[in-house]
Amino acid sequence: MTAKIIHRSIALALITALIGGCKTPDSIAKIESKSVPESYFNAHDSTNIAQTKWKTYFSDPNLIALIDTALLHNQELNIVLQEIEISKNEVKARKGEYLPFINFQGGAATEKEGRYTRHGAVDHNLEIKPGTEFPDPLQDYMLGIYASWELDVWKKLRNAKQAAVARYLASIEGKNFMVTHLIAEIANSYYELIALDNQLEIIEKNIQLQSSVLHIIHQQKDAAMVTQLAVNRFEAQLLHTQNRLYETKQQRMETENRLNFLTGRFPKPIPRNADSFNNTLFTDISAGIPAQLLANRPDIRQAELELAASKLDVKTARANFYPSLRLESGIGFRAFNPSFLINPESILYSVAGDLMAPLINRNAIKATYRTANAKQIQAIYAYEQTILNAYIEVMNQLSRNDNFKKSFAVKSKEVEILTQSINIANNLFKSARADYAEVLLTQREALESRMELIEIRMKQLHAKINIYKALGGGWN
């Protein structure tokens, strides 16, 4: 049932885009608000956390500083910014194609005809004026202005320009989409780094605890209260925990370097406050209505603009079948002697018009037209895929946030019980009312539960960050 509702939403989006001409990103906001189940959206809430500025959503000053640095120095983002400049220049180039071209031309040449050639014989018998022979060799000097203009009767050039504009706007939305992902990736890595700090703290405390227990076991071994097996088991557990310490340190180093890479700088320590891990709060989640998802997601707006550009490409390709009209004109001075160049008698001018239409062997034009149609259909599928992906992302992240919130509450109770069990097991072992296997098992379970609690907290933070990203926030 949910899949049918989603596909109905997609169909409405496509109809709005295609019939409405895909003129502006606002056209997708007209999709009905009940196109997905209300359980995934606050259907009666007109607000959306995507409209919250990222500096408001993330309150940690260290994280804000990292994001600010990344927005300035991230190499991939800077590459995308240059792509925007390329698209902007393409718009200027397309705009210039339907405006008149005016060129200045100047030149000088020398021509020597053979005496016994047709032109040479004629020139030999000509006089510029009585008593003055035709110059040999003949000099040729010229100054002039030439203009050409293709009349855009079928709007071929204007449609090409509008397609370039749509792609320029799409590149801006692509940049916004990348900024959203960049901010989310930095935030996720930052909280992962803090989670690893907390895990290291727990591991170090467990190493201290296990070391003290091992010392007691050695004393009991000396007093013949336990066997060497108990000593070996406790020592092996201590070594296992120490090995886990080094693995976690390596993970922390790699996460820290990933943050440095995202911020476009060489490895250096990342300022952070590990104590804030469990105290981090975000704005209350408000998904808004489905139409807002379409209006806020940069990738959906980008796909719509690409669809609009592909529709204009079809019109441009279709216009190639029609006749084209071109006007050309020029005016200037031309003479065989520089002293006669700037003279009313040396003025020349021309005006011409060309009408050209393809008649035979139009295969190349047909191929271009069919390619444009195929690309338009391709853009429709890409638009459909983008909308479907957006809905699924939001559904998944809202569900993750809800389930991890419940999981964190349950796991917290488990940690509390196992923490109490450590002291109970140690006391029972000292009074010979429990064996060493129970102590080992209790310590291991307590350590694992604490580590899992931090992982669940980290996933909960990731879900809140990814909801913000999935709803289209973070780029403004």
Side-chain angles (χ1 to χ4, degrees):
M1 181 62 184
T2 301
K4 291 182 179 179
I5 296 174
I6 292 174
H7 284 299
R8 183 162 61 92
S9 169
I10 294 169
L12 287 169
L14 293 174
I15 292 171
T16 304
L18 293 174
I19 297 179
C22 301
K23 295 181 179 179
T24 64
D26 294 336
S27 62
I28 50 179
K30 298 178 181 178
I31 297 174
E32 60 181 354
S33 62
K34 294 184 180 179
S35 53
V36 294
E38 292 187 9
S39 58
Y40 294 107
F41 292 91
N42 305 323
H44 303 292
D45 189 355
S46 61
T47 61
N48 188 308
I49 61 169
Q51 299 168 354
T52 303
K53 303 291 185 181
W54 66 264
K55 286 189 177 182
T56 303
Y57 192 72
F58 303 110
S59 57
D60 191 318
N62 294 320
L63 175 57
I64 291 174
L66 283 173
I67 295 174
D68 278 332
T69 303
L71 294 180
L72 290 175
H73 302 295
N74 181 267
Q75 288 85 357
E76 189 174 357
L77 179 58
N78 287 327
I79 290 172
V80 172
L81 291 176
Q82 294 307 309
E83 292 290 340
I84 293 176
E85 286 299 314
I86 293 172
S87 299
K88 185 177 181 180
N89 292 329
E90 180 69 17
V91 173
K92 292 180 180 179
R94 294 293 184 180
K95 182 179 179 180
E97 288 181 356
Y98 64 79
L99 297 176
F101 288 87
I102 300 177
N103 301 309
F104 172 79
Q105 184 176 357
T110 299
E111 182 181 6
K112 174 68 172 70
E113 295 285 353
R115 171 67 179 81
Y116 298 108
T117 63
R118 180 168 65 89
H119 293 290
V122 172
D123 292 344
H124 182 71
N125 292 297
L126 292 178
E127 293 182 343
I128 297 175
K129 59 183 179 179
T132 303
E133 293 183 353
F134 204 83
D136 186 24
L138 178 66
Q139 308 294 323
D140 187 14
Y141 300 95
M142 182 269 295
L143 290 173
I145 295 176
Y146 295 85
S148 62
W149 184 23
E150 181 177 350
L151 300 182
D152 195 19
V153 179
W154 315 111
K155 295 185 178 180
K156 177 180 70 174
L157 301 178
R158 281 180 170 79
N159 286 332
K161 180 248 184 179
Q162 290 299 325
V165 170
R167 289 193 170 91
Y168 166 66
L169 296 175
S171 67
I172 294 177
E173 296 299 342
K175 184 268 294 182
N176 293 337
F177 185 61
M178 182 183 174
V179 168
T180 296
H181 277 255
L182 179 62
I183 291 174
E185 187 173 0
I186 290 175
N188 282 328
S189 297
Y190 177 77
Y191 288 115
E192 182 179 345
L193 183 61
I194 295 179
L196 290 170
D197 288 338
N198 281 266
Q199 287 183 338
L200 281 172
E201 183 181 357
I202 291 174
I203 293 172
E204 289 170 352
K205 288 181 179 179
N206 271 270
I207 289 175
Q208 294 175 1
L209 174 64
Q210 292 172 9
S211 298
S212 63
V213 173
L214 180 61
H215 179 69
I216 295 173
I217 294 298
H218 276 291
Q219 291 178 340
Q220 292 184 341
K221 168 66 170 55
D222 295 337
M225 297 176 63
V226 296
T227 64
Q228 184 63 37
L229 178 60
V231 175
N232 291 346
R233 292 287 300 273
F234 275 94
E235 189 171 358
Q237 178 171 289
L238 176 60
L239 294 173
H240 176 77
T241 307
Q242 288 174 339
N243 181 66
R244 190 167 187 174
L245 175 71
Y246 299 128
E247 290 180 354
T248 306
K249 283 185 176 181
Q250 180 61 29
Q251 291 177 13
R252 183 174 66 174
M253 173 63 70
E254 292 177 2
T255 303
E256 196 169 36
N257 286 338
R258 183 167 70 247
L259 275 169
N260 282 312
F261 174 76
L262 292 173
T263 53
R265 63 190 184 188
F266 287 98
K268 59 184 294 187
I270 301 292
R272 57 193 183 273
N273 181 12
D275 297 333
S276 65
F277 181 68
N278 292 318
N279 300 323
T280 301
L281 298 175
F282 292 117
T283 304
D284 291 337
I285 295 175
S286 174
I289 58 178
Q292 287 180 327
L293 173 64
L294 300 180
N296 288 328
R297 289 268 301 210
D299 58 331
I300 293 179
R301 292 202 301 271
Q302 181 185 18
E304 186 189 17
L305 288 165
E306 292 287 354
L307 181 57
S310 67
K311 182 179 180 181
L312 291 167
D313 287 341
V314 172
K315 293 182 178 180
T316 302
R318 186 187 298 119
N320 289 328
F321 290 100
Y322 307 144
S324 60
L325 178 61
R326 189 177 187 87
L327 300 179
E328 295 184 354
S329 65
I331 186 170
F333 298 91
R334 192 167 191 171
F336 61 83
N337 191 309
S339 61
F340 300 146
L341 186 60
I342 309 301
N343 190 300
E345 299 295 330
S346 300
I347 293 177
L348 57 84
Y349 59 87
S350 65
V351 178
D354 295 327
L355 182 65
M356 185 174 62
L359 294 178
I360 302 175
N361 194 8
R362 301 189 300 175
N363 289 335
I365 298 176
K366 290 178 181 178
T368 302
Y369 178 68
R370 289 168 181 167
T371 298
N373 275 281
K375 288 184 176 181
Q376 184 185 26
I377 295 173
Q378 189 180 52
I380 292 173
Y381 287 130
Y383 185 47
E384 176 183 355
Q385 183 185 47
T386 304
I387 293 176
L388 183 60
N389 178 66
Y391 277 122
I392 290 176
E393 278 189 6
V394 174
M395 292 177 190
N396 288 342
Q397 296 306 326
L398 287 173
S399 177
R400 283 170 62 88
N401 178 70
D402 184 56
N403 287 324
F404 284 134
K405 182 179 180 181
K406 296 174 182 176
S407 176
F408 185 81
V410 173
K411 182 61 71 172
S412 297
K413 293 180 180 179
E414 179 185 340
V415 169
E416 184 181 353
I417 293 172
L418 289 173
T419 302
Q420 295 173 359
S421 299
I422 292 177
N423 295 328
I424 296 173
N426 288 337
N427 292 332
L428 290 175
F429 179 72
K430 291 176 183 178
S431 61
R433 297 169 61 188
D435 59 24
Y436 65 87
E438 291 179 293
V439 178
L440 283 171
L441 182 60
T442 303
Q443 288 182 351
R444 186 180 298 115
E445 289 177 346
L447 174 60
E448 293 297 330
S449 65
R450 288 173 181 172
M451 300 291 282
E452 289 172 1
L453 182 65
I454 292 177
E455 290 178 359
I456 292 172
R457 174 61 175 168
M458 182 176 63
K459 291 177 181 178
Q460 188 180 9
L461 293 174
H462 285 349
K464 288 184 177 289
I465 293 168
N466 292 334
I467 287 173
Y468 186 58
K469 179 186 73 172
L471 290 172
W475 59 270
N476 50 2

